[in-house]
Amino acid sequence: MERDDIKKALLEIIREIDDELDVDSLDEEKPLRDQLDFDSMDFLDIVMALRKRYQIQIPEEDYPRLATIASSIDYLHPRLNP
Amino acid sequence: MKHDVIVIGAGFSGLAAALRFVRYRKRPLVLEAHDRPGGLSSWYRRGGRTFESGLHALTSFAPPDDRAAPINRMLRQLGLSRDLLGFLPQSGARVAFADGVELGFSNDIELLRAEIASRFPGEADGFDRLCAFAREADPGRMRPGGSAREFVAQYIGDPLLASMLLFPLIVYGASNEHDLDVLSMLIMFRAIYLEGLFRPAVNVRELLGALVAAIEDGGGEVRFGSPVARVAVNSGRVEGVELPDGGFVPARMVISTAGLPVTMKLLGRREEVESGRISFFETQYVLDRKTAAALAGTETVYFYNFSGGSGYRCPDGLIEPAVGSMCLPHRFRGREGEEPMVRVTNLGNYRRWKALSRDEYVAAKEDASRQAARFAERIIGPFSDGVLFRDAFTPVTIERFSRRPGGAVYGSPEKRWDGGLGVDGLLLAGTDQGLVGVVGAMISGVNTANRMLLPMRLGELRE
């Protein structure tokens, strides 16, 4: 999976959580939490959606690595391309 | 187990909590003693009309694009659209004290600021600093405790202005007499002055109906006429609830919105919790259009205190007509075509009402409604001769339908801000968690559900 595909999938997941959101306005480098006003529950939605889509298990200690879109792609890329 | 969580009470906090669970595919069971939802903010039918019995206005107004605003955040967390509610803002509000001293405010804080600058010169800077503090304070990270009066005195030198500023916040949410907690004050200051007042386009009956339908559509269940007899606890863990007929509903989690005193009883605990002395007497006057058109003022909501003192206490008599709040629901923007009405709410003494015989009670209601109108007419002009229909409810009525002991609308003075009761799997939500009003109750429900859902979902992710 290419980095662009991963980004597309992430944005789709985020849009599912909040359908009023303009995902194109998101800054890849800024924490999602600040830009989306997401809480911990929304964050778990992202983790759950990733697991459902890709059967990927993300341990709790890795959650901080999903802070921004860019860091999420860095984290997911090697795991989705074994 | 058939249900993931049992929610006691189908008021706004209980319904919000249940809906939050439904959003995560959990199955809540809501048990409501009354035959309808709403609790402290419900409705009743009289003379062919639907009357609302709860708050005059919702707080925490926000425009749609303010994503971080508490109300937008709460609606999002419940998966509800803003269109369900419809946001009809107030036309304005006014605080009126003795000797003609008045302050207007609206959903634009600049109006209140200008009013203060012109009537209390020298206090505008302090007010700005107070606004800045309330705007930046994060109530989630603050500790309760402390007097709002003492706190506000650090910003506002003139005691009359301080009292006037605090008055609407106290009337809309203080379970204590005379004062409220600093934390409550900051939440209310923001919700009422910085954000503002509005009402939904739908009536409270339709709004509650939509919440119940959303819970049921999502696989939850809401049972009416279904009181709880006991919350069962074993070795410090909740096990379910017992029904009056001896039936038992098992559940690993229970959220009680029945208030602290009642919840303690359901747990079989003996410690006395004060149920609160603040209750209200309210009269709703339906007016003919000609009388309504001739009324003075343009505001939707009025807060008045002609008593000379703090005014906010359990009165010695049946009611304190000189202290109250008044709402003209047809003055919310977009409601101008509705049948005009004046709702006048005064402090009432539960014990005095409770002690009356049936005949005395009926006569006392008539008399109290007449007294209440006299003070309301000081502000909006005469309307008593143009009343098409009138109905009133007392602290005893509130107790009967909301099951709050003493009709204590804002709950016990003793709050559990974290909802904790020392029992695993059991949390308290709603009024006695310290958040009041329909919006506060719903936020409390969402937050309480989140506290239970987070560990559940983390557990699922580990599987």
Side-chain angles (χ1 to χ4, degrees):
Chain A
M1 242 182 122
E2 296 305 314
R3 294 178 64 88
D4 270 356
D5 299 328
I6 299 176
K7 181 178 171 181
K8 223 175 107 197
L10 274 172
L11 294 183
E12 269 174 36
I13 290 170
I14 290 167
R15 201 184 279 120
E16 270 166 34
I17 297 169
D18 185 351
D19 55 12
E20 288 170 14
L21 186 78
D22 174 18
V23 288
D24 299 328
S25 68
L26 292 176
D27 185 332
E28 270 188 45
E29 305 289 339
K30 279 196 188 145
L32 283 169
R33 194 180 264 274
D34 300 346
Q35 297 184 79
L36 297 174
D37 189 39
F38 272 16
D39 56 19
S40 323
M41 294 285 286
D42 296 316
F43 181 75
L44 288 190
D45 277 351
I46 298 180
V47 179
M48 277 192 174
L50 286 169
R51 180 159 95 162
K52 225 189 266 171
R53 266 184 198 226
Y54 304 114
Q55 279 79 50
I56 173 177
Q57 192 75 3
I58 304 172
E60 267 163 75
E61 55 270 25
D62 289 350
Y63 290 174
R65 298 180 65 179
L66 303 178
T68 71
I69 293 179
S71 72
S72 301
I73 298 173
D74 291 343
Y75 176 78
L76 293 169
H77 191 255
R79 285 168 178 78
L80 295 176
N81 298 289
Chain B
M1 266 176 228
K2 204 170 157 221
H3 309 284
D4 294 298
V5 60
I6 291 171
V7 179
I8 303 172
F12 277 98
S13 62
L15 294 176
L19 191 50
R20 186 70 176 151
F21 273 93
V22 159
R23 246 205 81 186
Y24 291 101
R25 295 164 297 281
K26 307 284 180 247
R27 293 152 307 170
L29 170 66
V30 184
L31 297 174
E32 168 58 49
H34 196 14
D35 64 3
R36 66 188 60 178
L40 291 160
S41 286
S42 192
W43 84 90
Y44 61 96
R45 294 279 297 172
R46 214 46 116 249
R49 294 178 173 85
T50 298
F51 292 94
E52 298 185 348
S53 58
L55 277 195
H56 291 168
L58 302 195
T59 62
S60 315
F61 179 83
D65 54 343
D66 184 356
R67 297 183 46 80
I71 190 151
N72 289 336
R73 189 189 172 97
M74 180 266 286
L75 290 172
R76 211 161 51 236
Q77 290 184 314
L78 291 175
L80 296 174
S81 130
R82 271 178 62 101
D83 298 339
L84 168 74
L85 219 56
F87 281 68
L88 309 182
Q90 62 168 337
S91 56
R94 184 158 291 275
V95 186
F97 269 44
D99 306 319
V101 191
E102 298 195 347
L103 270 185
F105 71 91
S106 69
N107 291 2
D108 178 358
I109 190 69
E110 287 308 316
L111 172 64
L112 180 55
R113 193 180 183 280
E115 294 262 307
I116 290 171
S118 79
R119 283 158 215 229
F120 296 90
E123 299 284 0
D125 286 349
F127 178 69
D128 286 344
R129 282 190 290 119
L130 179 56
C131 286
F133 186 89
R135 203 172 272 129
E136 275 145 42
D138 179 356
R141 286 164 199 265
M142 290 175 63
R143 279 171 185 282
S147 148
R149 286 192 186 277
E150 286 170 19
F151 181 82
V152 169
Q154 298 168 14
Y155 296 85
I156 304 289
D158 188 320
L160 175 60
L161 175 59
S163 277
M164 291 181 81
L165 279 175
L166 276 173
F167 189 64
L169 315 185
I170 288 177
V171 168
Y172 266 18
S175 49
N176 285 304
E177 297 180 300
H178 305 301
D179 202 350
L180 78 171
D181 189 280
V182 182
L183 191 44
S184 299
M185 190 279 288
L186 287 169
I187 294 170
M188 296 299 276
F189 190 97
R190 185 170 164 178
I192 292 177
Y193 292 137
L194 299 177
E195 294 169 343
L197 303 176
F198 72 102
R199 68 154 293 140
V202 294
N203 67 34
V204 74
R205 178 182 193 167
E206 295 166 307
L207 181 58
L208 289 161
L211 295 176
V212 170
I215 292 166
E216 289 175 340
D217 289 349
E221 190 185 338
V222 187
R223 275 187 217 164
F224 296 103
S226 185
V228 167
R230 198 171 72 88
V231 174
V233 177
N234 189 8
S235 312
R237 252 213 86 79
V238 79
E239 292 195 312
V241 303
E242 207 176 281
L243 308 177
D245 63 6
F248 186 78
V249 189
R252 283 209 189 92
M253 288 183 289
V254 174
I255 293 175
S256 173
T257 70
L260 189 55
V262 172
T263 304
M264 286 302 195
K265 280 210 180 100
L266 292 176
L267 284 167
R269 290 206 204 153
R270 292 226 184 88
E271 60 247 54
E272 278 293 310
V273 181
E274 200 200 318
S275 49
R277 288 165 52 81
I278 295 299
S279 190
F280 292 122
F281 173 81
E282 178 169 307
T283 312
Q284 312 208 16
Y285 309 85
V286 179
L287 303 184
D288 69 55
R289 288 190 189 272
K290 201 171 141 229
T291 304
L295 292 178
T298 58
E299 288 84 357
T300 310
V301 190
Y302 296 87
F303 301 89
Y304 53 94
N305 176 3
F306 301 125
S307 76
S310 98
Y312 196 74
R313 64 184 194 89
C314 182
D316 300 325
L318 290 166
I319 71 165
E320 172 50 273
V323 180
S325 66
M326 165 165 61
C327 176
L328 291 80
H330 59 286
R331 285 184 176 175
F332 282 100
R333 302 225 185 272
R335 292 256 306 181
E336 294 81 3
E338 299 281 319
E339 185 169 46
M341 191 193 283
V342 182
R343 292 177 64 181
V344 178
T345 308
N346 303 102
L347 291 145
N349 182 322
Y350 168 79
R351 281 166 204 268
R352 294 290 306 269
W353 284 101
K354 187 78 181 165
L356 298 176
S357 72
R358 185 69 212 160
D359 289 349
E360 287 169 337
Y361 183 82
V362 173
K365 271 173 75 170
E366 292 271 328
D367 186 47
S369 292
R370 266 194 297 276
Q371 286 181 51
R374 273 213 299 281
F375 281 93
E377 287 177 326
R378 276 205 200 178
I379 300 173
I380 55 169
F383 61 80
S384 288
D385 292 338
V387 175
L388 296 175
F389 188 81
R390 191 182 73 194
D391 194 61
F393 58 83
T394 74
V396 175
T397 327
I398 297 173
E399 179 184 60
R400 185 174 342 129
F401 291 109
S402 73
R403 303 220 169 186
R404 291 302 167 122
V409 285
Y410 298 136
S412 169
E414 186 182 333
K415 300 297 182 199
R416 294 293 167 96
W417 288 86
D418 65 354
L421 293 163
V423 175
D424 282 346
L426 173 67
L427 288 175
L428 188 73
T431 308
D432 282 344
Q433 211 190 38
L435 296 169
V436 295
V438 167
V439 177
M442 291 181 82
I443 291 174
S444 156
V446 169
N447 290 347
T448 306
N450 282 351
R451 278 186 53 197
M452 289 182 164
L453 279 159
L454 265 176
M456 271 173 99
R457 302 183 71 221
L458 277 169
E460 287 164 16
L461 279 167
R462 274 186 217 114
E463 280 165 17

